[in-house]
Amino acid sequence: DQQVKQNSPSLSVQEGRISILNCDYTNSMFDYFLWYKKYPAEGPTFLISISSIKDKNEDGRFTVFLNKSAKHLSLHIVPSQPGDSAVYFCAWGEQGGKLIFGQGTELSVKP
Amino acid sequence: KAGVTQTPRYLIKTRGQQVTLSCSPISGHRSVSWYQQTPGQGLQFLFEYFSETQRNKGNFPGRFSGRQFSNSRSEMNVSTLELGDSALYLCASSLVGGYNEQFFGPGTRLTVL
């Protein structure tokens, strides 16, 4: 079974600096990963995704990197803004509408 | 375009009761997935429906069930509630499921006393 792990429960970053959130996974099948952001009392909001045919995907301030040999992906936010403070989830996407989520990393961006 | 809506937003039940939660997907989306979020277990997949058929199921007991209607609206039911069922239940929709990104509703907060 695929497992997705986010080993850092929290991260604190200064406004304007780079935030790097990490995620590891166990099984190498067709890989499709998504990052979601979640505020309290709201559902997760899709941020960015990447498939195994790429090693990088960029959307504005958000860039996701996929290292297939290390079974590792990371989300970079540059520059970080106070409004980015939220819980970030990495998820592995399976056919049939199933997402396997990591435990989440709470990002705090300080002014 | 209206987002995913879930009703009710908050629910309090007692052990042994049953509960039904409702989800209306984004117009045109045919896939609806359900997730349970708890502090200890994080976000866990319950099941996914596409065109009124359950296509995928997570590792939850049979007390958790769902269905999807012809208009893609979905309901999930939990029977014989246990204290551990207290959680945020999230519904997500996507065009056809699979590798499409999923759009989440605000969730239903269920408290079992």
Side-chain angles (χ1 to χ4, degrees), chain B residues 20-97:
Chain B
T20 299
L21 313 182
S22 181
C23 172
S24 292
I26 291 171
S27 177
H29 285 194
R30 295 168 63 190
S31 169
V32 174
S33 298
W34 288 88
Y35 296 84
Q36 180 197 64
Q37 185 182 22
T38 58
Q41 299 297 319
L43 274 156
Q44 292 190 290
F45 173 79
L46 280 154
F47 31 66
E48 187 252 5
Y49 286 85
F50 179 79
S51 292
E52 302 177 64
T53 300
Q54 186 182 88
R55 286 198 302 190
N56 210 337
K57 189 177 190 302
N59 297 323
F60 279 82
R63 299 185 297 107
F64 291 82
S65 63
R67 59 178 177 168
Q68 187 181 33
F69 302 95
S70 58
N71 61 357
S72 294
R73 190 177 70 84
S74 177
E75 290 181 346
M76 69 163 279
N77 183 276
V78 189
S79 62
T80 321
L81 284 166
E82 300 177 359
L83 294 179
D85 297 333
S86 295
L88 179 67
Y89 290 89
L90 291 157
C91 158
S93 78
S94 66
L95 279 170
V96 293

Side-chain angles (χ1 to χ4, degrees), chain A residues 1 30-32 34 36 38 41-46 49 89 93-103, chain B residues 9 31 33 35 37 40-43 45 48 55-57 59 88 90 97-102 104-106:
Chain A
D1 279 1
F30 175 77
D31 298 323
Y32 187 81
L34 306 92
Y36 282 84
K38 188 178 186 300
E42 294 183 14
T45 302
F46 170 76
S49 62
F89 291 95
E94 181 183 296
Q95 278 284 10
K98 177 179 180 178
L99 294 176
I100 296 178
F101 285 89
Q103 291 295 95
Chain B
R9 291 295 309 278
S31 169
S33 298
Y35 296 84
Q37 185 182 22
Q41 299 297 319
L43 274 156
F45 173 79
E48 187 252 5
R55 286 198 302 190
N56 210 337
K57 189 177 190 302
N59 297 323
L88 179 67
L90 291 157
Y99 300 114
N100 290 152
E101 63 203 57
Q102 295 182 18
F104 284 80

Side-chain angles (χ1 to χ4, degrees), chain A residues 1 4 8 17 19 22 31 34 42 59 62 78 87 92 102 111:
Chain A
D1 279 1
V4 177
S8 298
R17 306 294 290 268
S19 295
N22 294 303
D31 298 323
L34 306 92
E42 294 183 14
D59 184 2
F62 301 92
V78 183
V87 178
W92 177 76

Side-chain angles (χ1 to χ4, degrees), chain A residues 44-86:
Chain A
T45 302
F46 170 76
L47 275 175
I48 192 168
S49 62
I50 190 167
S51 74
S52 56
I53 61 174
K54 292 184 173 182
D55 54 17
K56 176 183 171 181
N57 191 24
E58 200 169 347
D59 184 2
R61 295 186 299 115
F62 301 92
T63 303
V64 57
F65 296 92
L66 176 62
N67 183 332
K68 291 183 283 295
S69 61
K71 297 182 185 176
H72 177 85
L73 67 157
S74 60
L75 174 68
H76 293 208
I77 306 173
V78 183
S80 301
Q81 301 172 354
D84 296 330
S85 297

